[in-house]
Short mmCIF file of all heavy atoms in Angstrom, two decimals:
data_model
loop_
_atom_site.label_atom_id
_atom_site.label_comp_id
_atom_site.label_asym_id
_atom_site.label_seq_id
_atom_site.Cartn_x
_atom_site.Cartn_y
_atom_site.Cartn_z
N PHE A 1 -10.42 10.23 2.79
CA PHE A 1 -9.89 9.02 2.16
C PHE A 1 -10.08 9.05 0.64
O PHE A 1 -9.24 8.54 -0.12
CB PHE A 1 -10.59 7.81 2.74
CG PHE A 1 -10.17 6.50 2.17
CD1 PHE A 1 -8.93 5.97 2.48
CD2 PHE A 1 -10.90 5.87 1.20
CE1 PHE A 1 -8.51 4.76 1.87
CE2 PHE A 1 -10.54 4.73 0.61
CZ PHE A 1 -9.29 4.14 0.95
N THR A 2 -11.19 9.60 0.17
CA THR A 2 -11.41 9.70 -1.24
C THR A 2 -10.38 10.60 -1.95
O THR A 2 -9.93 10.23 -3.05
CB THR A 2 -12.86 10.24 -1.54
OG1 THR A 2 -13.79 9.39 -0.91
CG2 THR A 2 -13.13 10.29 -3.04
N ILE A 3 -10.00 11.72 -1.32
CA ILE A 3 -8.97 12.52 -1.86
C ILE A 3 -7.62 11.74 -1.98
O ILE A 3 -6.96 11.73 -3.00
CB ILE A 3 -8.72 13.77 -1.02
CG1 ILE A 3 -9.95 14.71 -1.11
CG2 ILE A 3 -7.48 14.52 -1.49
CD1 ILE A 3 -9.89 15.87 -0.14
N GLY A 4 -7.27 11.01 -0.94
CA GLY A 4 -6.13 10.19 -0.99
C GLY A 4 -6.19 9.07 -1.97
O GLY A 4 -5.20 8.70 -2.67
N GLY A 5 -7.39 8.49 -2.15
CA GLY A 5 -7.55 7.39 -3.09
C GLY A 5 -7.46 7.93 -4.55
O GLY A 5 -6.84 7.26 -5.40
N VAL A 6 -8.05 9.15 -4.86
CA VAL A 6 -7.93 9.67 -6.17
C VAL A 6 -6.51 9.96 -6.54
O VAL A 6 -6.05 9.67 -7.67
CB VAL A 6 -8.87 10.91 -6.33
CG1 VAL A 6 -8.62 11.64 -7.60
CG2 VAL A 6 -10.35 10.47 -6.23
N THR A 7 -5.76 10.64 -5.65
CA THR A 7 -4.37 10.87 -5.89
C THR A 7 -3.57 9.60 -6.04
O THR A 7 -2.56 9.55 -6.77
CB THR A 7 -3.76 11.76 -4.82
OG1 THR A 7 -3.97 11.13 -3.51
CG2 THR A 7 -4.42 13.14 -4.84
N GLY A 8 -4.01 8.55 -5.31
CA GLY A 8 -3.32 7.25 -5.52
C GLY A 8 -3.55 6.67 -6.90
O GLY A 8 -2.59 6.05 -7.49
N ILE A 9 -4.76 6.81 -7.48
CA ILE A 9 -5.02 6.35 -8.77
C ILE A 9 -4.11 7.11 -9.76
O ILE A 9 -3.57 6.60 -10.74
CB ILE A 9 -6.51 6.58 -9.15
CG1 ILE A 9 -7.36 5.61 -8.27
CG2 ILE A 9 -6.71 6.27 -10.61
CD1 ILE A 9 -7.11 4.16 -8.54
N MET A 10 -3.92 8.45 -9.50
CA MET A 10 -3.04 9.26 -10.38
C MET A 10 -1.62 8.70 -10.34
O MET A 10 -0.98 8.54 -11.36
CB MET A 10 -3.07 10.68 -9.92
CG MET A 10 -4.39 11.39 -10.08
SD MET A 10 -4.48 12.99 -9.36
CE MET A 10 -3.21 13.84 -10.31
N LEU A 11 -1.14 8.39 -9.16
CA LEU A 11 0.26 7.91 -8.96
C LEU A 11 0.43 6.49 -9.48
O LEU A 11 1.58 6.04 -9.74
CB LEU A 11 0.68 7.99 -7.53
CG LEU A 11 0.86 9.37 -6.96
CD1 LEU A 11 1.05 9.38 -5.50
CD2 LEU A 11 2.08 10.04 -7.61
N SER A 12 -0.68 5.74 -9.71
CA SER A 12 -0.54 4.43 -10.18
C SER A 12 -0.15 4.33 -11.59
O SER A 12 0.39 3.32 -12.11
CB SER A 12 -1.91 3.68 -9.96
OG SER A 12 -2.89 4.20 -10.91
N ALA A 13 -0.42 5.45 -12.37
CA ALA A 13 0.09 5.49 -13.73
C ALA A 13 1.57 5.71 -13.73
O ALA A 13 2.08 6.75 -13.16
CB ALA A 13 -0.65 6.63 -14.51
N SER A 14 2.36 4.83 -14.35
CA SER A 14 3.81 4.91 -14.28
C SER A 14 4.37 6.17 -14.87
O SER A 14 5.39 6.66 -14.37
CB SER A 14 4.41 3.69 -14.98
OG SER A 14 4.04 3.60 -16.34
N ILE A 15 3.70 6.75 -15.91
CA ILE A 15 4.21 7.99 -16.50
C ILE A 15 4.11 9.14 -15.48
O ILE A 15 5.02 9.91 -15.26
CB ILE A 15 3.45 8.33 -17.77
CG1 ILE A 15 3.65 7.18 -18.78
CG2 ILE A 15 3.98 9.66 -18.36
CD1 ILE A 15 5.06 6.95 -19.20
N LEU A 16 2.92 9.28 -14.86
CA LEU A 16 2.74 10.30 -13.86
C LEU A 16 3.59 10.08 -12.69
O LEU A 16 4.14 11.01 -12.05
CB LEU A 16 1.24 10.40 -13.41
CG LEU A 16 0.31 11.28 -14.26
CD1 LEU A 16 -1.10 11.23 -13.69
CD2 LEU A 16 0.83 12.68 -14.25
N ASP A 17 3.75 8.85 -12.22
CA ASP A 17 4.57 8.53 -11.05
C ASP A 17 6.07 8.95 -11.33
O ASP A 17 6.74 9.42 -10.43
CB ASP A 17 4.51 7.10 -10.71
CG ASP A 17 5.26 6.72 -9.45
OD1 ASP A 17 4.71 6.96 -8.41
OD2 ASP A 17 6.38 6.25 -9.54
N THR A 18 6.51 8.77 -12.54
CA THR A 18 7.85 9.16 -12.89
C THR A 18 8.04 10.70 -12.68
O THR A 18 9.07 11.16 -12.22
CB THR A 18 8.16 8.75 -14.38
OG1 THR A 18 7.96 7.39 -14.50
CG2 THR A 18 9.61 9.15 -14.72
N LEU A 19 7.01 11.47 -13.03
CA LEU A 19 7.07 12.92 -12.86
C LEU A 19 6.96 13.35 -11.41
O LEU A 19 7.61 14.32 -10.99
CB LEU A 19 5.97 13.59 -13.69
CG LEU A 19 6.06 13.40 -15.21
CD1 LEU A 19 4.82 14.00 -15.88
CD2 LEU A 19 7.35 14.07 -15.75
N LEU A 20 6.12 12.65 -10.65
CA LEU A 20 5.81 13.11 -9.30
C LEU A 20 6.53 12.33 -8.19
O LEU A 20 6.39 12.59 -7.03
CB LEU A 20 4.28 12.95 -9.04
CG LEU A 20 3.40 13.82 -9.96
CD1 LEU A 20 1.92 13.45 -9.78
CD2 LEU A 20 3.56 15.31 -9.65
N HIS A 21 7.35 11.35 -8.66
CA HIS A 21 8.07 10.54 -7.62
C HIS A 21 8.94 11.38 -6.73
O HIS A 21 9.65 12.30 -7.21
CB HIS A 21 8.93 9.49 -8.40
CG HIS A 21 9.57 8.47 -7.47
ND1 HIS A 21 8.86 7.40 -6.99
CD2 HIS A 21 10.81 8.40 -7.01
CE1 HIS A 21 9.65 6.65 -6.23
NE2 HIS A 21 10.87 7.26 -6.23
N ASP A 22 8.92 11.07 -5.44
CA ASP A 22 9.78 11.78 -4.48
C ASP A 22 9.52 13.30 -4.39
O ASP A 22 10.37 14.08 -4.11
CB ASP A 22 11.26 11.53 -4.68
CG ASP A 22 11.78 10.33 -3.89
OD1 ASP A 22 11.12 9.99 -2.90
OD2 ASP A 22 12.88 9.82 -4.24
N THR A 23 8.25 13.69 -4.69
CA THR A 23 7.88 15.08 -4.51
C THR A 23 6.83 15.10 -3.37
O THR A 23 6.35 14.06 -2.81
CB THR A 23 7.22 15.68 -5.77
OG1 THR A 23 5.92 14.98 -5.99
CG2 THR A 23 8.16 15.50 -6.95
N TRP A 24 6.47 16.35 -2.97
CA TRP A 24 5.50 16.52 -1.89
C TRP A 24 4.07 15.96 -2.25
O TRP A 24 3.27 15.73 -1.38
CB TRP A 24 5.36 17.97 -1.51
CG TRP A 24 6.47 18.39 -0.63
CD1 TRP A 24 7.65 19.02 -0.97
CD2 TRP A 24 6.53 18.25 0.79
NE1 TRP A 24 8.45 19.23 0.10
CE2 TRP A 24 7.77 18.82 1.22
CE3 TRP A 24 5.66 17.70 1.73
CZ2 TRP A 24 8.17 18.84 2.53
CZ3 TRP A 24 6.09 17.76 3.11
CH2 TRP A 24 7.32 18.30 3.46
N PHE A 25 3.83 15.74 -3.59
CA PHE A 25 2.54 15.16 -4.01
C PHE A 25 2.35 13.77 -3.34
O PHE A 25 1.31 13.41 -2.92
CB PHE A 25 2.48 15.05 -5.52
CG PHE A 25 1.12 14.78 -6.08
CD1 PHE A 25 0.27 15.80 -6.40
CD2 PHE A 25 0.68 13.46 -6.23
CE1 PHE A 25 -1.01 15.53 -6.88
CE2 PHE A 25 -0.58 13.19 -6.70
CZ PHE A 25 -1.38 14.23 -7.02
N VAL A 26 3.46 12.97 -3.36
CA VAL A 26 3.42 11.67 -2.75
C VAL A 26 3.12 11.74 -1.21
O VAL A 26 2.34 10.98 -0.63
CB VAL A 26 4.71 10.85 -3.05
CG1 VAL A 26 4.67 9.50 -2.38
CG2 VAL A 26 4.98 10.80 -4.52
N VAL A 27 3.76 12.72 -0.60
CA VAL A 27 3.54 12.93 0.84
C VAL A 27 2.08 13.23 1.12
O VAL A 27 1.47 12.72 2.06
CB VAL A 27 4.48 14.01 1.41
CG1 VAL A 27 4.18 14.31 2.87
CG2 VAL A 27 5.92 13.72 1.19
N ALA A 28 1.49 14.14 0.31
CA ALA A 28 0.10 14.49 0.47
C ALA A 28 -0.80 13.22 0.27
O ALA A 28 -1.76 13.03 1.02
CB ALA A 28 -0.31 15.58 -0.51
N HIS A 29 -0.51 12.45 -0.75
CA HIS A 29 -1.30 11.28 -1.04
C HIS A 29 -1.36 10.26 0.19
O HIS A 29 -2.44 10.00 0.67
CB HIS A 29 -0.74 10.57 -2.29
CG HIS A 29 -1.09 9.13 -2.29
ND1 HIS A 29 -2.39 8.62 -2.42
CD2 HIS A 29 -0.27 8.00 -2.24
CE1 HIS A 29 -2.38 7.28 -2.42
NE2 HIS A 29 -1.13 6.90 -2.27
N PHE A 30 -0.21 9.89 0.63
CA PHE A 30 -0.27 8.82 1.65
C PHE A 30 -0.65 9.42 3.00
O PHE A 30 -1.15 8.70 3.90
CB PHE A 30 1.05 8.00 1.72
CG PHE A 30 2.30 8.70 2.25
CD1 PHE A 30 2.45 9.04 3.56
CD2 PHE A 30 3.33 8.91 1.35
CE1 PHE A 30 3.63 9.61 3.94
CE2 PHE A 30 4.53 9.54 1.77
CZ PHE A 30 4.63 9.93 3.08
N HIS A 31 -0.52 10.71 3.25
CA HIS A 31 -1.01 11.24 4.50
C HIS A 31 -2.54 11.34 4.46
O HIS A 31 -3.18 11.18 5.53
CB HIS A 31 -0.37 12.61 4.83
CG HIS A 31 0.96 12.50 5.47
ND1 HIS A 31 2.12 12.30 4.79
CD2 HIS A 31 1.32 12.47 6.83
CE1 HIS A 31 3.13 12.21 5.64
NE2 HIS A 31 2.68 12.30 6.85
N TYR A 32 -3.13 11.67 3.30
CA TYR A 32 -4.58 11.68 3.24
C TYR A 32 -5.20 10.28 3.51
O TYR A 32 -6.23 10.14 4.06
CB TYR A 32 -5.05 12.22 1.92
CG TYR A 32 -5.43 13.67 1.96
CD1 TYR A 32 -4.47 14.69 1.63
CD2 TYR A 32 -6.66 14.11 2.38
CE1 TYR A 32 -4.77 16.00 1.66
CE2 TYR A 32 -6.98 15.45 2.46
CZ TYR A 32 -6.03 16.37 2.10
OH TYR A 32 -6.41 17.71 2.17
N VAL A 33 -4.42 9.25 3.06
CA VAL A 33 -4.97 7.89 3.28
C VAL A 33 -4.66 7.43 4.75
O VAL A 33 -5.60 6.94 5.44
CB VAL A 33 -4.30 6.91 2.28
CG1 VAL A 33 -4.66 5.47 2.66
CG2 VAL A 33 -4.70 7.20 0.86
N LEU A 34 -3.45 7.61 5.22
CA LEU A 34 -3.08 7.02 6.51
C LEU A 34 -3.21 8.00 7.63
O LEU A 34 -3.94 7.84 8.61
CB LEU A 34 -1.66 6.54 6.44
CG LEU A 34 -1.41 5.32 5.47
CD1 LEU A 34 0.04 4.88 5.57
CD2 LEU A 34 -2.34 4.19 5.87
N SER A 35 -2.50 9.17 7.52
CA SER A 35 -2.49 10.11 8.63
C SER A 35 -3.91 10.62 8.93
O SER A 35 -4.30 10.80 10.11
CB SER A 35 -1.57 11.30 8.32
OG SER A 35 -1.67 12.25 9.31
N LEU A 36 -4.70 10.82 7.88
CA LEU A 36 -6.06 11.38 8.02
C LEU A 36 -7.08 10.24 8.06
O LEU A 36 -7.97 10.20 8.87
CB LEU A 36 -6.40 12.36 6.94
CG LEU A 36 -5.35 13.44 6.81
CD1 LEU A 36 -5.76 14.45 5.77
CD2 LEU A 36 -5.02 14.15 8.11
N GLY A 37 -6.96 9.29 7.13
CA GLY A 37 -7.90 8.18 7.09
C GLY A 37 -7.86 7.27 8.33
O GLY A 37 -8.86 7.06 9.07
N SER A 38 -6.65 6.76 8.61
CA SER A 38 -6.52 5.86 9.81
C SER A 38 -6.68 6.57 11.10
O SER A 38 -7.29 6.08 12.04
CB SER A 38 -5.12 5.21 9.78
OG SER A 38 -4.98 4.39 8.59
N TYR A 39 -6.20 7.85 11.16
CA TYR A 39 -6.41 8.58 12.44
C TYR A 39 -7.90 8.91 12.66
O TYR A 39 -8.36 8.80 13.76
CB TYR A 39 -5.60 9.89 12.40
CG TYR A 39 -5.89 10.80 13.58
CD1 TYR A 39 -5.42 10.46 14.85
CD2 TYR A 39 -6.66 11.92 13.47
CE1 TYR A 39 -5.69 11.30 15.92
CE2 TYR A 39 -6.96 12.75 14.50
CZ TYR A 39 -6.43 12.40 15.74
OH TYR A 39 -6.72 13.25 16.86
N SER A 40 -8.60 9.24 11.55
CA SER A 40 -10.05 9.39 11.72
C SER A 40 -10.69 8.09 12.24
O SER A 40 -11.66 8.18 13.01
CB SER A 40 -10.68 9.85 10.35
OG SER A 40 -10.20 11.12 10.01
N GLY A 41 -10.21 6.96 11.73
CA GLY A 41 -10.72 5.69 12.26
C GLY A 41 -10.50 5.49 13.76
O GLY A 41 -11.33 5.02 14.45
N VAL A 42 -9.34 5.99 14.22
CA VAL A 42 -9.08 5.94 15.66
C VAL A 42 -10.08 6.75 16.46
O VAL A 42 -10.66 6.41 17.45
CB VAL A 42 -7.64 6.43 15.95
CG1 VAL A 42 -7.39 6.57 17.46
CG2 VAL A 42 -6.60 5.40 15.42
N VAL A 43 -10.27 8.00 15.94
CA VAL A 43 -11.18 8.99 16.63
C VAL A 43 -12.61 8.38 16.64
O VAL A 43 -13.33 8.38 17.66
CB VAL A 43 -11.17 10.34 15.98
CG1 VAL A 43 -12.24 11.29 16.57
CG2 VAL A 43 -9.76 10.95 16.17
N ILE A 44 -13.08 7.86 15.48
CA ILE A 44 -14.43 7.29 15.39
C ILE A 44 -14.58 6.10 16.36
O ILE A 44 -15.61 5.94 16.96
CB ILE A 44 -14.67 6.91 13.91
CG1 ILE A 44 -14.80 8.17 13.06
CG2 ILE A 44 -15.97 6.15 13.79
CD1 ILE A 44 -14.76 7.96 11.59
N SER A 45 -13.53 5.30 16.40
CA SER A 45 -13.61 4.14 17.37
C SER A 45 -13.77 4.60 18.79
O SER A 45 -14.59 4.01 19.56
CB SER A 45 -12.30 3.29 17.18
OG SER A 45 -12.13 2.81 15.92
#
């Protein structure tokens, strides 16, 4: 989740987001938060 959060802070800057928008960087970011963070929450539960 920390990896996903740090990349999210990077994407929150509008200049960086303009460069990285609709690239695989965005896919990596939200999968680290949701696919890995939320799924880990399911396993831990």
Side-chain angles (χ1 to χ4, degrees):
F1 178 77
T2 301
I3 293 173
V6 169
T7 54
I9 294 295
M10 294 171 62
L11 290 169
S12 68
S14 57
I15 300 299
L16 271 178
D17 184 80
T18 302
L19 296 173
L20 298 171
H21 188 79
D22 267 342
T23 67
W24 280 96
F25 192 92
V26 179
V27 177
H29 154 65
F30 68 72
H31 277 85
Y32 263 94
V33 173
L34 294 182
S35 176
L36 308 185
S38 297
Y39 173 72
S40 295
V42 170
V43 173
I44 292 167
S45 299

